[in-house]
Amino acid sequence: MDISTSSFHRAHKVSLLRRQPSSPVNSVSVIGFSLPRITSPSLDKCRRKRSSFGVVRACVAVEEKTRTAIIRIGTRGSIVISVALLDSPLALAQAYESRAKLQAKHPELTSEGAIHIEIIKTTGDKILSQPLADIGGKGLFTKEIDEALINGHIDIAVHSMKDVPTYLPEKTILPCNLVREDVRDAFICLTAASLAELPAGSVVGTASLRRKSQILHKYPSLAVEENFRGNVQTRLSKLQGGKVHATLLALAGLKRLSMTENVASVLSLDEMLPAVAQGAIGIACRTEDDKMASYLASLNHEETRLAVACERAFLETLDGSCRTPIAGYAAKDEEGNCYFRGLVASPDGTRVLETSRKGPYVFEDMVKMGKDAGQELLSLAGPGFFGN
């Protein structure tokens, strides 16, 4: 099937909207990006500095606002400077969501410049030519942000929880999870409405071994392009350009970017179990920073925090990395109990092991459920299953 020239493809182009957050960017600076040379009255006021941990900081007419901000939020993110778009729009949207929630709870944070957003480019953003598993796996999208937090360059760090390693760096805590978005994966394709409708030999693009293993387990006639990386807009552009027939993306991210018009269908949890902590935003601060901890306590959604703790206990027990296909999801059922499902698989999808647990929706019980489920699958998998 020639996906680059099909009539369906020509008639149904994916809408590749580079949506920017609706809130005004009135206090933003950038760490770790190589910025184009642009001259303007506002940018002439900016000076490039080196921070204490050795990365370049590009000021965007915000030097004074940075100094006076009550809260400095660190995040992966994007900013448009002339025609340059810097990754990742989704991370920046999550920072804006966090800012809006803080301002809604605390009137003193609504004045201009009270909250400053610091954009930090991470290792995972810089190396796009290789699969994640080949460049380290753990902490690829958090390490530089954690360093900025520990060194006092930012006050809080906004993370996609699925990117956060199961261990936290010393001197930091993660006391806050925002209300979780939809955890399911979205199927995006120009020629079919579902994975089941794709003809044999069709190529699905995904950098996730979790998605790859579950796709190949259920649809062994399909092929998977693993090195399918980039932000949401980049991956949709690759799809439109005919590099693959279809792709899967987290529905949560598409909702936060207001890009659900690109979704052909939403996969059920039975068809594709999500990544641990998918759809959850976590906010970290320094261990001894009581002021920031108090701000974050006002935003925490306890039901989400407990579910994420259960899933991460499962992941930690399995010692999961980007080389290990692992999925896990905990949620409150109709009776108010926790229902957890966990999965491990071989990368080629030939072996998939699953388990489930049910118990009280209480932190200690849920962490124990996650650990017990992980131990069961470790035992079932046996030596050598995880390949490293």
Side-chain angles (χ1 to χ4, degrees), residues 31 39 52 79 103 116-117 169 193 220 230 282 315:
I31 291 177
T39 59
S52 59
I79 184 168
Q103 291 174 330
H116 170 77
I117 296 176
L315 181 65

Side-chain angles (χ1 to χ4, degrees), residues 63-124:
E63 192 74 19
E64 294 303 320
K65 291 179 181 179
T66 304
R67 291 181 185 142
T68 60
I70 297 172
I71 299 179
R72 297 164 298 168
I73 298 176
T75 184
R76 297 171 61 203
S78 67
I79 184 168
V80 176
I81 301 179
S82 185
V83 295
L85 177 67
L86 307 178
D87 290 340
S88 152
L90 176 56
L92 188 56
Q94 293 177 168
Y96 277 115
E97 180 179 343
S98 302
R99 184 181 72 172
K101 290 181 181 296
L102 282 165
Q103 291 174 330
K105 291 276 189 178
H106 304 280
E108 72 274 19
L109 300 178
T110 58
S111 60
E112 184 178 358
I115 299 180
H116 170 77
I117 296 176
E118 193 83 31
I119 297 168
I120 301 170
K121 195 166 189 180
T122 66
T123 301

Side-chain angles (χ1 to χ4, degrees), residues 59-323:
C59 300
V60 189
V62 294
E63 192 74 19
E64 294 303 320
K65 291 179 181 179
T66 304
R67 291 181 185 142
T68 60
I70 297 172
I71 299 179
R72 297 164 298 168
I73 298 176
T75 184
R76 297 171 61 203
S78 67
I79 184 168
V80 176
I81 301 179
S82 185
V83 295
L85 177 67
L86 307 178
D87 290 340
S88 152
L90 176 56
L92 188 56
Q94 293 177 168
Y96 277 115
E97 180 179 343
S98 302
R99 184 181 72 172
K101 290 181 181 296
L102 282 165
Q103 291 174 330
K105 291 276 189 178
H106 304 280
E108 72 274 19
L109 300 178
T110 58
S111 60
E112 184 178 358
I115 299 180
H116 170 77
I117 296 176
E118 193 83 31
I119 297 168
I120 301 170
K121 195 166 189 180
T122 66
T123 301
D125 296 310
K126 296 172 184 176
I127 306 174
L128 296 175
S129 59
Q130 300 171 255
L132 292 173
D134 293 345
I135 57 175
K138 295 182 179 180
L140 290 173
F141 297 105
T142 59
K143 179 177 179 289
E144 288 80 0
I145 302 173
D146 291 334
E147 289 174 349
L149 180 61
I150 292 167
N151 292 338
H153 194 74
I154 59 175
D155 300 306
I156 62 176
V158 176
H159 296 298
S160 292
M161 282 303 301
K162 66 183 181 64
D163 293 335
V164 178
T166 52
Y167 58 89
L168 296 177
E170 292 184 10
K171 302 180 181 179
T172 71
I173 55 173
L174 207 160
C176 172
N177 288 125
L178 302 186
V179 177
R180 196 173 197 174
E181 227 336 328
D182 197 315
V183 303
R184 295 173 296 171
D185 283 317
F187 175 74
I188 302 173
C189 182
L190 305 175
T191 58
S194 66
L195 284 166
E197 291 185 12
L198 287 173
S202 296
V203 179
V204 181
T206 177
S208 163
L209 290 184
R210 170 190 65 86
R211 291 179 178 129
K212 174 189 173 182
S213 62
Q214 292 184 78
I215 290 169
L216 295 180
H217 180 69
K218 294 178 174 68
Y219 306 101
S221 65
L222 300 179
V224 173
E225 168 55 49
E226 289 183 43
N227 193 25
F228 195 74
R229 295 189 54 211
N231 63 33
V232 171
Q233 290 87 341
T234 298
R235 282 180 277 177
L236 291 177
S237 181
K238 289 179 180 180
L239 173 63
Q240 179 177 321
K243 295 186 181 296
V244 296
H245 298 90
T247 189
L248 301 182
L249 295 172
L251 183 58
L254 294 170
K255 285 187 172 185
R256 289 182 175 125
L257 289 169
S258 299
M259 295 181 69
T260 54
E261 71 272 15
N262 297 297
V263 176
S265 61
V266 177
L267 279 66
S268 70
L269 296 179
D270 291 330
E271 189 171 10
M272 183 66 61
L273 199 63
V276 164
Q278 183 158 308
I281 295 173
I283 311 179
C285 66
R286 288 181 292 277
T287 305
E288 304 300 328
D289 195 336
D290 294 337
K291 180 180 180 181
M292 293 302 130
S294 178
Y295 277 129
L296 297 185
S298 70
L299 301 189
N300 180 56
H301 185 248
E302 190 66 1
E303 183 176 327
T304 296
R305 190 182 76 85
L306 297 188
V308 168
C310 177
E311 295 166 22
R312 284 167 59 82
F314 172 71
L315 181 65
E316 183 179 20
T317 301
L318 293 169
D319 191 26
S321 73
C322 282
R323 292 189 179 276

